[in-house]
Amino acid sequence: MSGCWNPGVPGPPPQGFSHWLVFLLFPVCPSPQPSPTPGRCHVRDAMGLPPLGLLLSLCCVSGLPFYNGFYYSNSPHGWNPGKGHGEGIFNGVKLVVETPEEILFSYRGANVTLPCRYHYEPAVVSPRPVRIKWWKLSENGAPEQDVLVAIGLRHRAFGDYRGRVHLWQEREREVSLEIRDLKLEDYGRYRCEVIDGLEDESGLVELELRGVVFPYQHPQGRYQFNFHEAQWACEEQDAVVASFEQLFRAWEEGLDWCNAGWLQDASVQYPITQARHPCGGLGLAPGVRSYGPRHRRLHRYDVFCFAAALRGQVYYLEHPEKLTLAEAKEACQEDGAQIAKVGQLFAAWKFHGLDRCDAGWLADGSARYPVAHPRRNCGSLEPGVRSFGFPDPHSRKYGVYCYRPR
């Protein structure tokens, strides 16, 4: 097989090039111009455009799917962008990659295995060398992340996944990905790609963490965060900015909040379960209402944060006296813990049933208390985390909620 393909010469491209991948793997020789270096080709197309220009122009042509830097044909056996499995045919043999269609749920700090297997139809008796690649797909403008690449017994992990991922190969042609000590940022969609020579097929696995969505305001009041400040605010509370899917799931579970807040895709939305005049009026049906995408730097709103289930313990510190904020932080440290963050309190309420009718300081300077079993003299008749806002940290005294990691 030659090192380049001249589209001006009659005849098809080299055998096996059913995909548009030929533009990336083979330099294109211009027909009318001789190469200045014998035996080598200009990396330019017949129109004088470099391959990058050609690819960029192709992205505007309808019917040519673009993914991960490669163009693929629209043949019935081409790349399958959806969940489940992908399949491709080469030399009469079909390569099939299988992944689960259902969403996988797990917890922060846990270990999880993302299933992926491949096989050939008809079955191939002799073993074939393949290359395995796992990566995390981009979400809301974030770049794709390489997770792991494997060729035979050689594996390489990337970035924050180093030391936390490896291939799980319990059965023949199983190439599942195990992720240990799950982090908040690990949720999302992962692609398992199997590459056999010039053919590659892939499947999608979606991972979601068990968690709780909560609205968060600036200490100075509503609508104070631009998008970047909102991201920082959630991180300070041991959380991340919630995705639309997470907010929608929280709305289905009963979250009702009339203040609009940032989401992970830089849109601004708010969930309403009971229509009322101050929240869009009575004429609109319940649902997640949207302001659409907003300017990340100029516009200011509240934010919806997502906190994952905890491995540690949040507890109300029994103390003989009420405390200022500084005294509260010191008291938790003396107890071998640290003052709890808002996301930790919400997670303890949601997943551990933390129920206490005493207001306590949190790390951000707010005073709150969790109620899992509503009762008289303990706020409203709905379960939730009640807030006293941000009292003066020097003159006001409360109890304190502490967090002890495990």
Side-chain angles (χ1 to χ4, degrees):
M1 185 178 292
S2 64
C4 61
W5 171 52
N6 190 333
V9 177
Q15 183 178 6
F17 280 80
S18 60
H19 296 72
W20 286 87
L21 190 61
V22 65
F23 286 111
L24 293 182
L25 293 183
F26 276 71
V28 181
C29 298
S31 303
Q33 301 178 6
S35 172
T37 305
R40 303 186 69 178
C41 297
H42 285 300
V43 187
R44 307 179 71 86
D45 62 30
M47 296 179 292
L49 293 173
L52 177 59
L54 178 61
L55 288 174
L56 291 177
S57 65
L58 283 173
C59 71
C60 302
V61 180
S62 60
L64 296 183
F66 182 75
Y67 184 77
N68 200 32
F70 298 88
Y71 281 89
Y72 294 85
S73 69
N74 274 327
S75 69
H77 306 293
W79 171 68
N80 175 13
K83 295 182 183 179
H85 67 272
E87 56 185 40
I89 292 181
F90 61 99
N91 297 327
V93 178
K94 183 164 63 176
L95 170 64
V96 180
V97 175
E98 298 175 296
T99 53
E101 294 188 3
E102 65 275 7
I103 298 175
L104 301 183
F105 287 88
S106 190
Y107 294 89
R108 180 169 58 173
N111 301 336
V112 67
T113 299
L114 310 185
C116 182
R117 295 189 67 194
Y118 71 96
H119 65 273
Y120 299 94
E121 297 177 1
V124 175
V125 178
S126 58
R128 296 179 60 88
V130 296
R131 177 175 180 261
I132 307 300
K133 179 180 179 182
W134 277 93
W135 75 90
K136 186 181 180 187
L137 274 62
S138 61
E139 299 282 350
N140 305 313
E144 292 181 346
Q145 294 177 266
D146 289 335
V147 177
L148 179 142
V149 172
I151 303 177
L153 299 177
R154 298 167 58 191
H155 298 175
R156 180 183 178 187
F158 299 89
D160 190 48
Y161 293 98
R162 288 195 186 100
R164 296 196 299 126
V165 296
H166 75 274
L167 279 188
W168 186 263
Q169 298 175 293
E170 287 288 292
R171 295 177 291 179
E172 184 181 9
R173 293 182 178 140
E174 179 178 12
V175 288
S176 302
L177 180 73
E178 183 182 39
I179 308 177
R180 296 187 292 271
D181 189 22
L182 281 174
K183 301 181 182 298
L184 266 175
E185 300 79 10
D186 288 341
Y187 80 89
R189 297 177 301 155
Y190 292 79
R191 188 163 291 282
C192 170
E193 183 179 37
V194 179
I195 303 168
D196 184 330
L198 294 175
E199 295 297 325
D200 62 280
E201 294 302 332
S202 62
L204 188 67
V205 183
E206 187 166 354
L207 174 65
E208 186 64 84
L209 298 185
R210 301 283 184 186
V212 57
V213 172
F214 62 94
Y216 190 76
Q217 288 186 350
H218 192 279
Q220 296 179 2
R222 68 198 293 262
Y223 296 176
Q224 298 289 323
F225 296 124
N226 66 27
F227 179 72
H228 305 291
E229 293 165 345
Q231 289 179 307
W232 178 84
C234 288
E235 290 171 4
E236 286 292 295
Q237 303 314 313
D238 198 22
V240 294
V241 179
S243 67
F244 171 79
E245 291 78 11
Q246 290 164 342
L247 181 65
F248 186 83
R249 192 175 297 119
W251 169 75
E252 290 182 313
E253 295 174 354
L255 180 60
D256 182 276
W257 196 256
C258 203
N259 291 337
W262 290 104
L263 293 181
Q264 189 183 75
D265 60 357
S267 67
V268 173
Q269 314 200 33
Y270 63 101
I272 296 297
T273 59
Q274 296 180 346
R276 49 200 185 274
H277 283 297
C279 304
L282 296 173
L284 294 177
V288 177
R289 313 231 171 118
S290 176
Y291 287 7
R294 302 280 90 181
H295 195 287
R296 295 174 182 239
R297 184 169 50 86
L298 299 180
H299 291 145
R300 294 184 175 272
Y301 296 92
D302 295 341
V303 61
F304 289 98
C305 302
F306 174 82
L310 296 171
R311 297 187 69 182
Q313 176 191 13
V314 174
Y315 61 97
Y316 182 83
L317 180 65
E318 299 293 346
H319 197 275
E321 298 177 351
K322 299 298 184 182
L323 308 164
T324 64
L325 178 59
E327 293 169 342
K329 293 180 179 180
E330 185 178 350
C332 286
Q333 292 175 352
E334 292 175 351
D335 200 50
Q338 59 197 37
I339 189 169
K341 299 180 178 182
V342 176
Q344 294 166 347
L345 184 67
F346 268 93
W349 162 76
K350 175 75 172 181
F351 296 103
H352 299 287
L354 185 61
D355 183 274
R356 185 83 189 204
C357 208
D358 298 290
W361 289 109
L362 295 177
D364 66 339
S366 64
R368 307 174 192 248
Y369 64 99
V371 176
H373 307 288
R375 50 201 181 274
R376 294 181 60 186
N377 301 322
C378 202
S380 71
L381 297 181
E382 296 293 330
V385 175
R386 324 280 195 230
S387 176
F388 280 71
F390 294 83
D392 184 276
H394 307 292
S395 62
R396 301 297 298 272
K397 296 189 175 185
Y398 296 94
V400 62
Y401 288 93
C402 303
Y403 172 69
R404 183 178 290 119
R406 290 178 183 170

